[in-house]
């Protein structure tokens, strides 16, 4: 894959539409399946642009990765596209994407937990810079592995925050644009959830949070039931099928935990 194609693919993947996903333990979609769908979709879109620039038709003989890239390179391309090598390259991205949950399980910025929006965006921007630098050096494996990790963090923004509940349907371009600030963020002292003794309340986010369009995220509680330092009152679940895992601030909760959504 050429440096131009690599950078174009990076930009399209990070700024394109986001696909919702469910728990990795039982949902229809996971981090890896979403990454696979997004990459193949963006390979197709990028190759269409590359083919148009090169002034040759983009007519893949099928939908497999190797068929897409062969059509992208065009009929005059020298050599053969190795299906095994291309699948291996994609697998490097998928593997690193999945390993974020193992290697950075307690890192709030890697998952946009604990209101770590600025830190999470910092990881994405640092990753993008590293990817572009590695592409420039033709260190494509390092670029692919970093892309996998960056995509996991980007996916978790939409999963572990209330972005969808706020009514937004487009990607948050501010996450990858250094010239655009992240605005109207909740902090660790902001109450964001209502009381829910049963633990099964369908709409736990406080009305004023939705009305004010305030962005908030969940908290990680797999290894400890203790509230994050500075938390207001009790906590409630935030878009997670493991209801005890991701929690948001509750103004006066009585101990219940409840899910805002079902995307992990």
């Amino acid at each position: 894959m050429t440096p131009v194609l690599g950078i174009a693919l990076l930009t399209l993947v990070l700024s394109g539409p986001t696909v919702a996903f469910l728990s990795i333990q039982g949902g229809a979609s996971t981090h890896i399946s979403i990454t696979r769908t997004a990459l193949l979709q963006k390979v197709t879109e990028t190759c269409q642009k590359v083919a148009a620039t090169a002034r040759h038709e983009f007519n893949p003989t099928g939908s497999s990765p190797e068929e897409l890239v062969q059509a992208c390179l065009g009929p005059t391309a020298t050599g053969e596209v190795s299906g095994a090598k291309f699948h291996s390259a994609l697998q490097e991205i998928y593997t690193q994407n999945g390993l974020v949950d193992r290697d950075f399980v307690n890192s709030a910025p890697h998952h946009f937990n604990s209101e770590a929006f600025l830190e999470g965006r910092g990881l994405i921007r640092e990753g993008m810079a590293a990817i572009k630098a590695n592409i420039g050096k033709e260190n494509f494996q390092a670029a692919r592995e970093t892309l996998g990790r960056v995509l996991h963090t980007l996916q978790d923004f939409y999963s572990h925050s209330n972005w969808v509940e706020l009514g937004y349907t487009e990607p948050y371009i501010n996450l990858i644009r250094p010239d655009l600030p992240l605005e109207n963020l909740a902090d660790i002292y902001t109450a964001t959830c209502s009381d829910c003794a049963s633990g099964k309340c369908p709409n736990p986010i406080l009305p004023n949070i939705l009305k004010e369009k305030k962005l908030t995220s969940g908290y990680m509680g797999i290894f400890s039931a203790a509230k994050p330092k500075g938390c207001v009152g009790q906590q409630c679940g935030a878009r997670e099928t493991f209801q005890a895992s991701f929690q948001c601030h509750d103004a006066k909760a009585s101990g219940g935990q409840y899910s805002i959504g079902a995307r992990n």
Side-chain angles (χ1 to χ4, degrees):
M1 188 173 291
T2 66
V4 172
L5 177 57
I7 293 175
L9 177 59
L10 163 68
T11 302
L12 285 168
V13 168
L14 291 178
S15 61
T18 302
V19 184
F21 57 108
L22 302 173
S23 168
I24 197 169
Q25 290 193 348
S29 299
T30 67
H31 275 288
I32 294 175
S33 67
I34 287 174
T35 301
R36 181 185 301 113
T37 299
L39 285 176
L40 293 182
Q41 177 182 330
K42 295 309 176 182
V43 164
T44 301
E45 294 178 8
T46 303
C47 285
Q48 289 172 336
K49 296 178 183 294
V50 170
T53 301
R55 297 185 178 181
H56 68 75
E57 293 185 358
F58 177 69
N59 293 316
T61 57
S63 59
S64 68
E66 55 270 31
E67 288 170 318
L68 293 175
V69 172
Q70 183 66 72
C72 181
L73 297 177
T76 61
T78 58
E80 295 182 355
V81 176
S82 169
K85 287 184 178 179
F86 193 65
H87 278 290
S88 177
L90 292 174
Q91 188 59 49
E92 290 169 357
I93 299 174
Y94 305 151
T95 298
Q96 291 301 314
N97 182 291
L99 286 177
V100 171
D101 276 332
R102 185 198 72 179
D103 297 341
F104 302 99
V105 64
N106 287 320
S107 171
H110 281 85
H111 307 282
F112 279 100
N113 294 333
S114 306
E115 316 292 8
F117 292 110
L118 296 177
E119 297 86 349
R121 182 178 70 165
L123 288 176
I124 292 173
R125 288 170 52 187
E126 290 171 10
M128 291 176 64
I131 293 167
K132 293 177 181 178
N134 280 312
I135 290 175
K137 297 175 183 177
E138 297 190 3
N139 189 354
F140 298 121
Q141 180 176 348
R144 290 190 293 267
E145 291 176 348
T146 304
L147 176 60
R149 294 190 291 271
V150 168
L151 287 176
H152 185 113
T153 299
L154 186 64
Q155 291 159 0
D156 271 353
F157 167 78
Y158 299 99
S159 174
H160 296 176
S161 76
N162 63 334
W163 179 259
V164 175
E165 282 79 8
L166 292 178
Y168 298 118
T169 58
E170 297 295 325
Y172 193 22
I173 196 67
N174 299 43
L175 292 174
I176 63 172
R177 287 275 301 274
D179 57 317
L180 298 177
L182 300 185
E183 299 178 321
N184 207 22
L185 304 178
D187 59 29
I188 61 172
Y189 300 101
T190 304
T192 59
C193 292
S194 60
D195 190 9
C196 182
S198 69
K200 297 181 180 180
C201 301
N203 299 302
I205 302 179
L206 292 173
N208 67 294
I209 296 297
L210 300 177
K211 182 178 180 180
E212 297 170 9
K213 294 284 186 177
K214 190 170 289 290
L215 193 63
T216 182
S217 73
Y219 285 85
M220 194 71 173
I222 290 179
F223 302 110
S224 174
K227 292 180 293 186
K229 183 178 180 180
C231 244
V232 178
Q234 191 47 266
Q235 304 147 359
C236 60
R239 200 191 316 287
E240 172 57 38
T241 53
F242 300 105
Q243 293 186 4
S245 297
F246 293 97
Q247 305 163 338
C248 64
H249 302 157
D250 186 353
K252 56 181 186 310
S254 57
Q257 297 168 335
Y258 33 99
S259 176
I260 292 177
R263 292 181 290 279
N264 181 13

